[in-house]
Amino acid sequence: MVLEPVRPTVLATRFIPAAPRDLLQAYGFSEADHGSLGLVTCDQDDALYVALDEATKQAPVDVVFGQSFWAGSAHASGPFSGECLGIIAGPGPDEVRAGLEACVRSLEQDPCFYRADEAGKLLIFPHVVHAIGHYLAKESGLPPGSPMAYLIAPPLEAVIGLDAALKAAEVRLQKNFSPPTPTNFAGGYLAGDLEQCQAAAVAFAEAIVRFAGAPRAI
């Protein structure tokens, strides 16, 4: 059961082919570039962020909104809210529809959390993006096309995991997510070449699995 994948669930998708000007202005979207919107909610926020980034690689769209909700999917505000809302935008319906389809396809096939303990209660996200798109490039400060280890876990486990990852591979902590966060998880983006990012993700996961076997060891 340890490191068994927990696939994300897409809870809702909606397509707005021509958003009204007031709505675009309220959210700070560019009227010229973002007239069409695609919305998606999911029960795993970090998986959705990776999938939104994939959309920017598969279609000429921008991620104009991505936000985790307080307390996570177990305390969602409604049956279709999940843990995160993502909005992509583009100049026309065809571009946004292609981006939304790419996002959903990615969630079905690629990023996900994993169980790190025998009880299946400890979930971690030891994901490697082989080549980031424009969204994660903006979020991380890395150039588009860079490999990146995207490592997330509960607060204490994240510190242990990042410690192991930084010691095991030639990577640097590009961006840190210290607790508290909206979902009370933590972690970071690690930068390096692809092989080193993969080694860092393995070390991150292994350290947390070892911790789960003896959480009160000194």
Side-chain angles (χ1 to χ4, degrees):
M1 294 294 292
V2 174
L3 292 184
E4 181 183 16
V6 179
R7 300 302 316 171
T9 299
V10 177
L11 297 169
T13 56
R14 268 299 178 269
F15 176 58
I16 302 176
R21 176 179 295 180
D22 287 357
L23 183 62
L24 295 173
Q25 291 179 341
Y27 276 82
F29 304 158
S30 166
E31 293 179 49
D33 300 329
H34 300 148
S36 295
L37 305 177
L39 295 81
V40 55
T41 59
C42 179
D43 65 352
Q44 293 183 12
D45 58 347
D46 296 297
L48 180 54
Y49 295 142
V50 173
L52 290 168
D53 185 64
E54 183 66 21
T56 70
K57 294 187 284 184
Q58 301 299 326
V61 296
D62 296 318
V63 178
V64 293
F65 185 88
Q67 185 64 52
S68 302
F69 301 141
W70 299 112
S73 58
H75 305 280
S77 59
F80 306 109
S81 301
E83 193 166 75
C84 185
L85 167 64
I87 304 177
I88 59 172
D94 291 343
E95 294 89 347
V96 172
R97 189 179 298 277
L100 191 58
E101 290 173 350
C103 177
V104 172
R105 188 165 58 247
S106 176
L107 286 167
E108 293 172 345
Q109 300 173 358
D110 186 25
C112 69
F113 276 77
Y114 289 81
R115 295 184 175 95
D117 66 333
E118 293 292 345
K121 295 182 178 180
L122 173 55
L123 301 182
I124 63 174
F125 190 75
H127 188 74
V128 175
V129 183
H130 287 209
I132 60 175
H134 293 290
Y135 175 56
L136 285 180
K138 180 180 178 181
E139 293 295 308
S140 66
L142 294 170
S146 301
M148 188 182 80
Y150 189 149
L151 309 179
I152 299 294
L156 183 147
E157 292 89 329
V159 176
I160 294 170
L162 289 177
D163 170 71
L166 291 166
K167 290 174 178 174
E170 294 181 7
V171 291
R172 66 182 183 278
L173 183 56
Q174 181 71 14
K175 185 173 182 178
N176 183 58
F177 300 103
S178 299
T181 63
T183 59
N184 284 319
F185 272 55
Y189 298 151
L190 271 59
D193 66 33
L194 179 58
E195 183 177 351
Q196 295 300 315
C197 285
Q198 290 171 331
V202 169
F204 178 85
E206 288 180 342
I208 296 174
V209 169
R210 288 195 301 270
F211 157 80
R216 302 236 359 223
I218 297 178

